[in-house]
Amino acid sequence: MTHSSTLGTPTPATPGTRAASRTGAPSAPAAPRSSYASQLPIVDLSAAGRGPQARRLLHAQLHSAAHDVGFFQLVGHGVTEAETQALTRAMRAFFALPEADRLALDNINSPHFRGYTRIGDERTQGARDWRDQLDIGAERPAHTPAPWEAPYWWLEGPNQWPAALPELRTAALHWIDRLSGVAARLLHELLASIGAPADFYDDIFGPHAHPQLKLVRYPGSSGEGDDQGVGAHKDYGFLTLLLQDQVGGLQVQREDGDFHDVPPLPGAFVVNLGELLEVATNGYLVATNHRVVSPPGATERFSVPFFYNPRLDARIAPLDFPYASQAPGVTADPANPLFAEYGYNALKGKLRAHPLVAARHHAELLLHPEGQPAMSA
């Protein structure tokens, strides 16, 4: 379906408050909750196919997790152990390559922000992240924007692959396809759980969606008293599905304002909601700050975040759903404006996170943002 209305700049919300409900507005369904000391909520996606009662329970759990926490562990997703092992074996083999082989894929050579980022070259809120990674997206021809086109089309282009590891390309592109399907099913159930049409956002995904994948290694402590594996942030898309190993280090900021560990759960994806879902629901669904603390000493941690994002030119319509009157408004952050057109959010994030690529290929975007204040680094 097509939606012509779009979101503008988020309305500042008063922290910790919620808008008063209209008479007769429904209350959110009750669902089991996890304490801070235990796991995040655990959601079994396979319940969607086990009959009406199981699906109702799934919706209650999804509603609570997305409204109250913005994070949960997803099981019953259908991704097999063999698929997971194929990806993680190829990822570990990549990081075991000689440094020269990895640097041959340096993302500073890609105007599309694809390729390898060496340790310390990525930034979160201006501070270095102590990790290295390979950024991968849908495999498409390079798109050099024409003068009349939006600059975010630079984000569409080819990946960089190591010639010595053809299996990495196969496993990574398969993972993007596989998790795109999982995320689409999950988004349908999530929207249905709050009483919205399940297919409300179908037209902004499809074959021209902009999924992204990162293969990430945290090499241990920097030895300089800085434990920032990746700094506190929110994701700016729709949904993130994270595969993490058993080392741990992921932390989520909860209602008490503190960051709490997310213990690894074998076979589960850690799911978090992105800022576009928070904006689309006027804060009823929440995007939550999270970070990674570097593992101690020389311990390595590996993770694979998958970002389920719409088309770059998608304009995100506000969601019409029965609980809208209970929405508290969106968290206001003048330093991080959000735009209804997804591509500007994606470009903003890349320019800030990868200043070396931005300076080499996109200096004009940093100097002349053309009315988009978030383009500044």
Side-chain angles (χ1 to χ4, degrees):
M1 61 178 63
T2 301
H3 310 286
S4 58
S5 59
T6 59
L7 297 177
T9 302
T11 302
T14 302
T17 64
R18 293 185 178 272
S21 299
R22 293 192 299 263
T23 302
S27 298
R33 300 191 183 193
S34 298
S35 69
Y36 294 151
S38 68
Q39 281 281 0
L40 292 172
I42 299 174
V43 174
D44 183 356
L45 186 57
S46 68
R50 293 205 298 267
Q53 184 174 354
R55 192 169 185 232
R56 280 193 296 271
L57 177 59
L58 167 65
H59 286 176
Q61 293 172 329
L62 269 176
H63 190 146
S64 175
H67 174 56
D68 297 331
V69 186
F71 264 82
F72 53 91
Q73 301 264 20
L74 185 71
V75 298
H77 43 68
V79 178
T80 67
E81 179 64 18
E83 290 173 302
T84 302
Q85 288 297 324
L87 180 69
T88 55
R89 278 197 304 268
M91 173 176 63
R92 288 176 179 270
F94 171 74
F95 286 108
L97 288 173
E99 183 181 34
D101 289 5
R102 285 180 274 122
L103 290 177
L105 313 180
D106 197 324
N107 72 345
I108 200 169
N109 299 317
S110 169
H112 316 293
F113 296 88
R114 306 291 178 90
Y116 177 69
T117 303
R118 70 184 81 196
I119 296 169
D121 274 2
E122 190 176 26
R123 297 289 189 271
T124 299
Q125 296 184 359
R128 70 178 186 180
D129 295 326
W130 199 248
R131 63 180 188 175
D132 57 348
Q133 64 189 35
L134 186 67
D135 278 280
I136 302 165
E139 191 69 81
R140 292 179 183 144
H143 190 155
T144 300
W148 59 86
E149 288 186 301
Y152 54 65
W153 288 114
W154 277 113
L155 300 180
E156 198 167 81
N159 296 299
Q160 298 192 74
W161 303 106
L165 283 175
E167 63 270 30
L168 178 62
R169 184 182 191 277
T170 301
L173 294 181
H174 174 77
W175 196 258
I176 288 175
D177 289 343
R178 193 76 167 88
L179 264 64
S180 291
V182 173
R185 287 191 288 125
L186 176 59
L187 181 59
H188 277 195
E189 299 301 333
L190 174 58
L191 295 179
S193 78
I194 60 171
D199 63 350
F200 190 84
Y201 289 120
D202 279 5
D203 63 334
I204 65 171
F205 285 93
H208 299 291
H210 189 70
Q212 292 182 286
L213 181 68
K214 289 178 181 283
L215 308 181
V216 183
R217 175 179 64 172
Y218 297 88
S221 171
S222 68
E224 299 176 9
D226 179 6
D227 64 356
Q228 177 171 306
V230 62
H233 67 284
K234 299 177 182 180
D235 296 341
Y236 46 77
F238 264 69
L239 293 169
T240 302
L241 280 67
L242 173 73
L243 174 68
Q244 62 171 340
D245 64 14
Q246 298 304 300
V247 172
L250 175 64
Q251 296 183 336
V252 174
Q253 190 173 34
R254 300 297 295 269
E255 295 94 325
D256 62 356
D258 292 335
F259 282 86
H260 296 264
D261 292 328
V262 178
L265 179 65
F269 294 126
V270 180
V271 177
N272 64 280
L273 277 60
E275 290 173 311
L276 288 186
L277 272 176
E278 179 174 318
V279 173
T281 60
N282 196 31
Y284 188 79
L285 301 182
V286 295
T288 305
N289 269 319
H290 53 287
R291 67 187 185 188
V292 173
V293 176
S294 294
T299 302
E300 291 185 323
R301 175 184 185 265
F302 294 90
S303 69
V304 185
F306 168 79
F307 304 94
Y308 187 58
N309 301 321
R311 300 189 325 262
L312 287 170
D313 61 349
R315 298 184 67 82
I316 312 305
L319 193 63
D320 184 18
F321 64 108
Y323 303 93
S325 64
Q326 300 177 32
V330 178
T331 304
D333 183 358
N336 183 39
L338 295 173
F339 303 99
E341 199 163 348
Y342 168 69
Y344 284 111
N345 298 303
L347 182 59
K348 172 193 67 178
K350 291 296 187 183
L351 291 173
R352 291 179 172 185
H354 299 282
L356 298 180
V357 180
R360 181 167 184 174
H361 297 285
H362 305 295
E364 73 285 355
L365 297 180
L366 302 177
L367 295 174
H368 303 293
E370 297 181 352
Q372 298 293 343
M375 294 299 99
S376 63

